[in-house]
Structure formats: structure tokens, C-alpha cells
Amino acid sequence: MSDDKKGSAYVLGIDMGGTKVLAGVVDRKRRILSRAKASTDSSSMSSLEKCFSEVISAALTEAVLEPSLISAIGIGCPGPLDIRSGSIVNSPNLGMKEIPVRDLLRKVLKAPVVMGNDVNVGTFGEFEMGAGVECRNLVGLFPGTGLGGGVIVDGRLLEGVTGNAGELGHMIIQPDGPLCGCGQRGCAEAFVSRSALAKELAGLAAAGKAPALLELAGTDLRKIKSGVILKAIQAGDKAVEKAVLRSARIMGIVMANCVNIFNPEMIVLGGGLVEKLGKLFVDPAAEAMKDYALPALSRGVKVAQSKLGDDAVLLGAACMALKSL
Amino acid sequence: MSDDKKGSAYVLGIDMGGTKVLAGVVDRKRRILSRAKASTDSSSMSSLEKCFSEVISAALTEAVLEPSLISAIGIGCPGPLDIRSGSIVNSPNLGMKEIPVRDLLRKVLKAPVVMGNDVNVGTFGEFEMGAGVECRNLVGLFPGTGLGGGVIVDGRLLEGVTGNAGELGHMIIQPDGPLCGCGQRGCAEAFVSRSALAKELAGLAAAGKAPALLELAGTDLRKIKSGVILKAIQAGDKAVEKAVLRSARIMGIVMANCVNIFNPEMIVLGGGLVEKLGKLFVDPAAEAMKDYALPALSRGVKVAQSKLGDDAVLLGAACMALKSL
């Protein structure tokens, strides 16, 4: 071990998803020293513990670091959580009822664990190191498969009583609107997400109104990914462009609600849809936000695209761990 | 002056409304020692200064206290505000563009001033001394003429960057819904407020479907006050009861959104409509909240009626002033 590693603080940042776990060693200067990945095996507690153990070992090995030099672990998990007990409560994607994440991690490595909902943690990353470094009040909205949200209030992550605050995608914006994955109707997520858009676009393709999309992806919802949507627009599918614009304008309503609720300095947009479509999505969304929000509150609100990309949760988790020291 | 007043800290709590200003001297134990009232005269800066001067003098006189014994002033004002400059920005109800509230108060009395949006300050009062004393995370919703909101996050008032956070009544819950006073369509306030309800009920009365209401108030929106609505229900107007129930269920959707956004321990309902209708409004609203919110977040959320009534803003402002010492 090199001398400069002794006495320094290192943390582990973990991004736990439904299909994979990403772990990285991060130093005090918030540089990622290593990255390791494993498939999420949540078929049993012991398999999940083994999965944590492997990915952490790999990250430590790559960073050439002994476990005892890790001062804290930060982890972003799919919710709903109970941060008081350090567990995931009944996550549909993980197929287990109650997952004591903090306890499992402590079995693998003796260090304090801080945890948060994945999108909350990603938003914290953007606040600490990404698009929002100049702000103390910001809202993150991440349309992907769903529509995740996260909020920073006066420099602190909005957690709520059990760590589940920031479910902005489940803000109902039209009672009796389209069905949402959560079982309700008219949630923001049922309008603004890759999944919601894919449903509409598959319909357009089936009706012969989106020939380029039809050629690229057929009418299979799973194949209508963000990159494909961009390609269809570039190939001249006007109906696809119109659908994206409509989706962006509804995102603007969600953003306007967030402006009126949080009076933030900035809205950060990220996630697959935003990364691929860029200004095609962000600009009309920002314009609609100004149209729908209270003028006294929307004046001066910046709309920015996320900067950390796939590292947002890992870095956000690492920053939370560093802050806890 | 009695001896026990020397060396003690007293604060002034001020509730500034569009029509009247209420001021009270409050001691360290948060007891109201005096109350004074004046009509809000915002026709010019000097008339508003005079109005502040009179109401403060009267409150001090009643409490038998010298101005020098006031350690701080807290004030709740109609928004939008800019708490950084201590002013009200362009308030439609006050007919003035920019009101430097903090500077005006300092001319009257040399003490530090803390200010906030009136409903935010009232929610802070409920948190410090009313329905929410046991909680650290709560949301206040106050349907009256409009629908005001306030939020406490981890024991602190959610202010946002200019003090205008918590405009929960301007959360759009149905784009292209009924027109709201703010100029948008489908804000929560356009569904859930005394004004919104009055419009619906006047229509029912005009159509002969609410005979008791028709006798009590005719079809004049201004006469259909919360107390009148209660009387019409008690007199057997089923259509009025049904309209109230519908309004309460929409309030439940707004509450569900707040649960998903803030993950609070409690929702406090107050304002004229809630005070008069009580359980008739609160119970169906709480039930609808559970129907619409994410179960992992709504589980255990208490729904309570406000306790401080007309003193909420005065006491909230006084508590803010005491905290600032």
C-alpha cells in the first residue's frame, strides 16, 4: 500500500439497481479510484450478501486498498425504503419483501452505512458535483423507465420521515388519466417517461404514422428506447417529434408544480430520455415550465441537464458517505 | 414596569393580511400578552408605516411594555415575497408593486425582523405549538378563499430561495381544468377552496337543487361562506353534501401528492372551510389520501385539524422571532 493511502479517508459508493450493483472506491477529493459491477442476485438474503461481498472486494482490489481503510459506505437503492432501519421495504423489482441492506453491508465490511433512494442519491450527486454545484435549492427530475425525482432543500437532501420523499413521478396531474405502474391513474410518470412515450409511439407506428420508427423498432415497446426515438425524429418522423414535444410540455407542468412547491434555483433534468434527446426535450419543457409556474417563482429558475450521467448515484452515495464522516 | 419584565425577551408577532394587520406581544414561554388590530392601509408607503406604527404601539401599550424590550419581530405576509430583501413583491391584494416590509417595520421599532409567507408562518405555528408539536415533518393545507400551503422539513420551515415555497394550492392537478385566480387552469385551488366550492354551490342553488342553501344565501358567491355551507347540509341539502364530499376527495388527491413528495408524518388541515365543516371534510379527505398515495408512504400518516385557529400566523411569526434570538 502506498504511503498516501494511510490515514486518508476513502469511502465506497454503491449504486444498487434491480439488475446490477455498481460499486466504486472514492477518495476525499471525490475522485473515483475504482469501479466494479455485479448482477443483482436478490433471490435470497445470502445471495444478495454474496453479491455485495463480490462487488466490494473487486472495487477494493482494483483500488489496491484494504477494507479497513474504508471509512463509510453510501448506497442508493430502489425504494420504498425505511432509512431508520436501513432496509428496502417491499420492492417490486427485487422480488423480496424486506431487505436489511445496512445489516447485509455491515456483514461484508465494518463501516457505517448511509443510504437513500437511488434517484434522491443521484440528485444529491448532481448537487454536490454536477449540474447543481452553484445551488442550494434544486429539484432533479429523471425520466427513464419511470420518472424519478429528488430534491435539495437549503443544501440538504429532502428525505422525509422514512427516506421516501421526492416521489415526484407519482404526483397525480390528472385524476383518471392513464394507468401508472403504481396502480394509480394520471401520475406524472404515466405521461412523462420512456415507457409512457413508448406506448404512444408504438401506437403511432402501428397506425402507419411513424414509418422510420416502425422500421427501427417495429411496434415492440421494449425496443422503443430513447436512442431509437431520437433516430426516428432525425429520420423525419414528424408524429414522433410531436409526441416528444407533447411529453416535454407535460414535463413542463410537472416542473412548474415543483417550482411552486419548492421555490428552487434550478431544475436538473436527467435520465435516458433527456440524455438522448437533449435540447429537443429540455427546451420545450423549460418553456412550458415558465408558461405554467407562478411568475414570481419561475423567474430566474435555471433548467439544466444532468452532468454525471451513469455515475450520478455512485458519486451521490459517495458524497453522502463523505459528509457523514 | 414590573420587575419580571426586565431582562426577559419579548417578541412581536404580526399577521399582515390584505384587509387587516394583527399584532401581539409574545413572551419567551410563547404566551400572547396582548393583541391589537388595525385595517391594512397600503395606499402608500407612509400610510402602511403609520398602520404598523399604530398596531405595534397598541400592542405594546396593552402589554405595558417599552419598545426597547422587544427583541425581535416576526411577520407573516401575503406573498409573493422576497425574504432576501425583506419585501412583498407585487401582491395583487395589496395594490402595491414592491413593499419593503422589513424596512418599514425597522423605522417603527429597532429590532431584527424575520418574515415569511402567511400560510407558511401559520404552518410553522401549528408545528411549534399546535397540531404538529410531535412531528418534525409535516404539511399544512389551508382551504379558505384560496388554498394555502406550508411545509416543515425535518423541523425547519421550507422557504425556498426567496421564501415562496409551499404554494401547494397552485399545484396543477388537471391541465385545462377550471380557471384559477392565478390565471392558470386546473390548480388545486381551483378545485379545493371556499371560492371554488361556492361557485359550484351557487350553480346548484340556481338550478333548484339546494333549497336550504338558496334560502340561506341565495346565489351570491360572497354569501356562500363556510358556515352557510354547513347549515345547508344540516338542513338537508344532499346536493351540497355531495359537492363537499367531492371537494374533500380532491383535497385527498392533493394530500396524496404531498405525501408522495414530502414523506411527512402528518398533514394538518385548517382554514375556514375545515374549521366549519370539521369531520365532514377531514374524514373523506383523509380516506381519499390513503386511496391515492403510495402505500409505503401513506402508512402511518396522521391527518389532523389545526389547533391555533386565527392565532396561527401571529404565533407562528412570534415563534420564528423567538427562534431567531
Side-chain angles (χ1 to χ4, degrees):
Chain A
M1 191 187 319
S2 65
D3 265 356
D4 67 342
K5 283 182 183 166
K6 284 180 198 155
S8 290
Y10 298 91
V11 297
L12 269 166
I14 303 179
D15 176 359
M16 179 188 182
T19 55
K20 61 178 176 47
V21 179
L22 183 69
V25 172
V26 174
D27 69 9
R28 238 185 220 290
K29 290 190 174 158
R30 310 198 286 195
R31 292 171 300 204
I32 300 177
L33 305 185
S34 68
R35 274 191 193 83
K37 202 190 277 193
S39 292
T40 307
D41 181 353
S42 56
S43 54
S44 72
M45 291 303 164
S46 59
S47 66
L48 190 58
E49 185 186 327
K50 194 162 158 254
C51 155
F52 282 146
S53 176
E54 279 170 13
V55 78
I56 288 175
S57 287
L60 289 170
T61 305
E62 198 195 313
V64 199
L65 218 65
E66 280 176 28
S68 62
L69 285 174
I70 296 297
S71 305
I73 304 174
I75 182 166
C77 317
L81 311 179
D82 186 346
I83 50 167
R84 296 169 302 190
S85 65
S87 54
I88 299 174
V89 181
N90 191 21
S91 183
N93 295 331
L94 294 167
M96 280 203 284
K97 271 268 167 185
E98 180 103 9
I99 308 177
V101 172
R102 193 192 290 153
D103 292 346
L104 289 177
L105 285 170
R106 278 181 182 161
K107 281 191 192 178
V108 174
L109 198 148
K110 294 268 167 289
V113 177
V114 285
M115 75 188 294
N117 165 295
D118 44 13
V119 187
N120 285 356
V121 171
T123 301
F124 190 70
E126 289 292 339
F127 160 67
E128 284 284 338
M129 304 177 62
V133 286
E134 313 252 306
C135 302
R136 290 187 59 79
N137 294 278
L138 68 91
V139 174
L141 282 161
F142 296 79
T145 311
L147 173 59
V151 187
I152 306 296
V153 173
D154 201 18
R156 302 198 315 165
L157 179 63
L158 177 72
E159 293 188 307
V161 64
T162 54
N164 292 303
E167 287 287 3
L168 306 175
H170 296 290
M171 192 192 305
I172 294 173
I173 56 167
Q174 186 160 309
D176 307 316
L179 193 65
C180 180
C182 73
Q184 296 296 342
R185 288 191 170 274
C187 293
E189 177 171 309
F191 292 94
V192 191
S193 59
R194 210 243 339 132
S195 321
L197 200 54
K199 278 185 212 166
E200 196 175 336
L201 297 182
L204 289 173
K209 289 178 182 163
L213 183 73
L214 188 64
E215 206 181 306
L216 286 160
T219 54
D220 183 348
L221 293 184
R222 290 196 199 170
K223 289 188 180 160
I224 304 179
K225 294 191 182 293
S226 305
V228 168
I229 297 171
L230 176 64
K231 277 183 193 157
I233 294 175
Q234 287 168 337
D237 274 354
K238 286 289 165 206
V240 173
E241 191 171 350
K242 221 167 145 182
V244 165
L245 186 67
R246 182 173 163 269
S247 169
R249 289 215 39 106
I250 301 180
M251 176 60 112
I253 295 177
V254 178
M255 291 157 68
N257 283 355
C258 291
V259 166
N260 293 348
I261 292 168
F262 292 107
N263 187 200
E265 298 154 75
M266 178 182 273
I267 307 263
V268 179
L269 299 180
L273 206 58
V274 173
E275 274 177 37
K276 293 291 178 193
L277 295 172
K279 289 168 78 68
L280 272 179
F281 186 89
V282 174
D283 288 354
E287 198 181 299
M289 179 192 86
K290 298 268 177 188
D291 292 344
Y292 286 103
L294 293 170
L297 280 77
S298 69
R299 201 175 298 137
V301 173
K302 289 174 228 111
V303 177
Q305 215 173 312
S306 72
K307 283 188 176 166
L308 304 182
D310 289 343
D311 284 332
V313 178
L314 192 159
L315 282 170
C319 287
M320 285 173 71
L322 285 166
K323 288 246 158 186
S324 75
L325 296 180
Chain B
M1 192 184 322
S2 65
D3 265 358
D4 67 343
K5 283 182 183 166
K6 285 181 196 154
S8 291
Y10 299 90
V11 297
L12 269 167
I14 302 180
D15 176 359
M16 179 187 181
T19 56
K20 61 178 174 50
V21 179
L22 184 69
V25 172
V26 174
D27 70 8
R28 238 185 220 290
K29 290 189 174 157
R30 309 198 287 194
R31 293 171 300 204
I32 299 177
L33 305 185
S34 68
R35 274 190 193 82
K37 202 190 276 191
S39 291
T40 308
D41 181 354
S42 57
S43 54
S44 72
M45 290 303 165
S46 59
S47 66
L48 190 58
E49 186 186 327
K50 193 162 158 252
C51 156
F52 281 146
S53 176
E54 279 170 12
V55 78
I56 288 175
S57 287
L60 289 170
T61 305
E62 197 195 312
V64 199
L65 218 66
E66 279 177 30
S68 63
L69 286 173
I70 297 296
S71 305
I73 304 174
I75 182 166
C77 316
L81 310 178
D82 186 345
I83 50 168
R84 296 169 301 190
S85 65
S87 55
I88 299 175
V89 182
N90 191 20
S91 184
N93 295 330
L94 294 168
M96 279 203 285
K97 270 270 168 186
E98 179 103 9
I99 308 178
V101 171
R102 193 193 287 154
D103 291 345
L104 289 177
L105 285 171
R106 277 182 182 159
K107 281 191 192 178
V108 174
L109 199 148
K110 295 267 169 290
V113 177
V114 285
M115 74 189 292
N117 166 294
D118 44 13
V119 188
N120 284 357
V121 171
T123 301
F124 190 70
E126 289 293 339
F127 159 67
E128 284 284 336
M129 304 178 61
V133 286
E134 314 254 304
C135 302
R136 289 186 61 78
N137 294 277
L138 68 90
V139 175
L141 282 161
F142 296 79
T145 310
L147 173 60
V151 186
I152 306 295
V153 173
D154 201 17
R156 302 199 314 166
L157 179 63
L158 177 72
E159 294 189 306
V161 65
T162 54
N164 292 304
E167 287 286 4
L168 306 175
H170 296 290
M171 192 193 305
I172 294 173
I173 57 167
Q174 186 160 308
D176 307 316
L179 193 64
C180 179
C182 73
Q184 297 295 342
R185 289 190 170 274
C187 294
E189 177 171 308
F191 293 95
V192 190
S193 59
R194 211 240 342 131
S195 321
L197 201 52
K199 277 185 211 167
E200 196 175 336
L201 297 181
L204 289 173
K209 288 177 183 164
L213 183 74
L214 188 64
E215 208 181 305
L216 285 160
T219 54
D220 184 348
L221 293 184
R222 290 196 198 169
K223 288 189 180 159
I224 304 179
K225 294 193 182 290
S226 304
V228 168
I229 297 171
L230 177 64
K231 277 184 193 157
I233 294 175
Q234 288 168 337
D237 273 354
K238 286 290 164 204
V240 174
E241 192 172 351
K242 221 166 144 182
V244 165
L245 187 67
R246 182 173 163 271
S247 168
R249 289 211 43 102
I250 301 179
M251 176 59 112
I253 295 176
V254 179
M255 291 157 69
N257 282 356
C258 290
V259 165
N260 293 348
I261 293 168
F262 292 106
N263 187 200
E265 299 154 77
M266 177 181 274
I267 307 264
V268 179
L269 299 180
L273 206 58
V274 172
E275 274 178 36
K276 293 291 179 192
L277 296 171
K279 290 167 80 65
L280 272 177
F281 186 89
V282 174
D283 288 355
E287 198 180 300
M289 178 192 87
K290 297 269 177 188
D291 292 344
Y292 286 102
L294 293 170
L297 279 75
S298 69
R299 202 175 297 137
V301 174
K302 290 174 229 110
V303 177
Q305 216 174 309
S306 72
K307 283 189 177 167
L308 303 182
D310 289 343
D311 284 332
V313 178
L314 192 159
L315 283 170
C319 287
M320 284 174 71
L322 285 167
K323 289 245 159 186
S324 75
L325 296 181

